Amino acid sequence: RPNPPPPLPRRPGGGARAGRAGGAPPPDGSALAYDKLLLATGSVPRKLPMPGLGGRCVYLRTFNDALAIRAHLSAGNRIAIVGGGFIGLELAAAARRLGAAVTIIEAQPRILMRGVPAEIAEVIHQAHEAEGVKILCGEGIAAIADDGAEVRIALAGGHDIVADLAVIGIGAVPVTGLAAEAGLTVDNGVAVDAELRTSDPDIFAAGDCCSFPLALYGGRRVRLEAWRNAQEQGALAARNMLGAGEAHAAVPWFWSDQYGLTLQIAGLSDEGRSIVRRDLGDGAFILFHLAEDGRLVAASGIGAGNAVARDIRLAEMLIAKQARPAPEALGSQTIKLKSLLAA
């Protein structure tokens, strides 16, 4: 909007009255009263803070974004992707399947630095290179020039990448403007408690926009950008707005399909202090992440099709139970995870 919205009117009890979605008041200037309010404002792509970005430098978030990018994914077109996370890699896989030439530029030492073990990231890296994707890790961007016909990306190392389209996928930022206007606590998103209640007890938040404590990890505050988390939190917030008083207890879960490979992660893999590997055959494997006290805190798996799906689901249940399975049992191909769950 060209002008910021007016301050939110306050309730007698101190909470803010909200207007329509996005913070804009109804056309007649009145306020909408509420007993309970849910903020589900989501997130937006993190912008690349550089001059020179034009119409051929785009972000992927909405359906219309996808349609616009899809028009460039064809044989003969050159696609540069800034960022080696899930968005960038999944887009690279789709672009290669449609015949486009793809270069990924990642500033970090490897792809998938956030939340994916190096051993699994290497499998993904090799799969992309086998499909013809050029991956440049540890490369900063010195400048970008979009002249309307092509994009020229000058790398800090001295090389140039020329592309017909540059897609920027360097993360997402929670939408917290309305919460901040209302005086709510913001901490890497709208800060909520275990029941998804904000610093105003009548206002809740759910999904990409909120950070919340996870009891499974000692109350560590996290913000998750995944469809299942948004779905689960939306339902939990609705129940708690009706008085259920339920704490968030779901185990984080992520997945990604790239070429014929499926990556799945249950839990927070950066919590583990030791890793046990279980090989499933045909190149599929799972890494079990154990805390110092022996608790299973995460499981990361990769394989063709649904090769890891069943065991990741069982691992998710073990994590929820705060189980302490024997490392040798986790690594054994002959001991079924279901038997560990029963124990």
Side-chain angles (χ1 to χ4, degrees):
R1 295 186 299 275
N3 298 307
L8 296 176
R10 309 297 295 179
R11 290 184 299 145
R17 291 288 192 188
R20 296 193 301 178
D28 61 3
S30 64
L32 298 178
Y34 64 84
D35 295 308
K36 304 294 180 184
L37 172 68
L38 173 64
L39 298 179
T41 48
S43 59
V44 294
R46 187 181 301 278
K47 303 298 183 182
L48 187 65
M50 299 189 72
L53 276 65
R56 288 180 177 265
C57 298
V58 300
Y59 299 86
L60 174 57
R61 183 67 181 181
T62 68
F63 180 64
N64 286 336
D65 293 339
L67 291 179
I69 292 171
R70 173 63 179 81
H72 292 271
L73 305 187
S74 59
N77 274 0
R78 302 159 297 175
I79 308 299
I81 298 174
V82 180
F86 285 118
I87 287 288
L89 292 168
E90 290 179 4
L91 177 60
R96 283 301 298 136
R97 286 299 166 92
L98 293 169
V102 179
T103 301
I104 294 175
I105 304 165
E106 171 54 60
Q108 297 294 325
R110 67 168 173 88
I111 61 171
L112 297 172
M113 280 290 290
R114 189 167 65 118
V116 177
E119 195 170 347
I120 289 180
E122 179 60 25
V123 174
I124 296 289
H125 187 121
Q126 291 177 4
H128 278 277
E129 288 194 331
E131 293 287 342
V133 176
K134 186 176 182 180
I135 300 179
L136 305 175
C137 290
E139 284 281 6
I141 296 177
I144 293 182
D146 178 357
D147 64 7
E150 63 182 18
V151 181
R152 184 173 295 273
I153 302 173
L155 302 179
H159 296 92
D160 284 0
I161 303 297
V162 180
D164 299 292
L165 185 75
V167 184
I168 300 164
I170 55 174
V173 179
V175 177
T176 59
L178 182 59
E181 283 185 59
L184 305 178
T185 300
V186 174
D187 179 8
N188 184 30
V190 185
V192 299
D193 63 15
E195 296 180 11
L196 305 183
R197 187 179 287 106
T198 70
S199 52
D200 182 320
D202 293 324
I203 302 178
F204 294 71
D208 289 17
C209 73
C210 78
S211 64
F212 60 96
L214 270 175
L216 281 171
Y217 301 96
R220 172 181 169 181
R221 182 168 291 277
V222 299
R223 187 176 65 83
L224 303 178
E225 299 163 7
W227 70 263
R228 194 172 87 168
N229 177 69
Q231 183 182 64
E232 290 170 343
Q233 287 193 341
L236 176 62
R239 293 195 299 272
N240 286 341
M241 291 167 75
L242 295 173
E246 297 178 28
H248 186 283
V251 176
W253 177 79
F254 310 88
W255 68 280
S256 178
D257 286 341
Q258 297 173 40
Y259 308 111
L261 294 173
T262 295
L263 159 67
Q264 290 194 23
I265 298 177
L268 301 178
S269 61
D270 61 353
E271 286 280 334
R273 297 295 179 267
S274 63
I275 293 179
V276 176
R277 173 168 170 153
R278 173 184 285 232
D279 288 301
L280 304 177
D282 296 325
F285 64 90
I286 293 179
L287 303 178
F288 295 101
H289 308 252
L290 301 173
E292 290 182 358
D293 62 3
R295 283 181 303 113
L296 180 63
V297 292
S300 310
I302 192 166
N306 292 321
V308 302
R310 175 181 169 82
D311 282 349
I312 289 292
R313 174 57 183 149
L314 291 169
E316 183 182 341
M317 297 166 73
L318 287 167
I319 295 167
K321 288 183 63 174
Q322 302 188 57
R324 292 174 170 81
E328 57 271 20
L330 289 173
S332 172
Q333 290 180 296
T334 59
I335 298 177
K336 294 185 180 298
L337 292 185
K338 191 172 183 179
S339 68
L340 303 181
L341 187 64

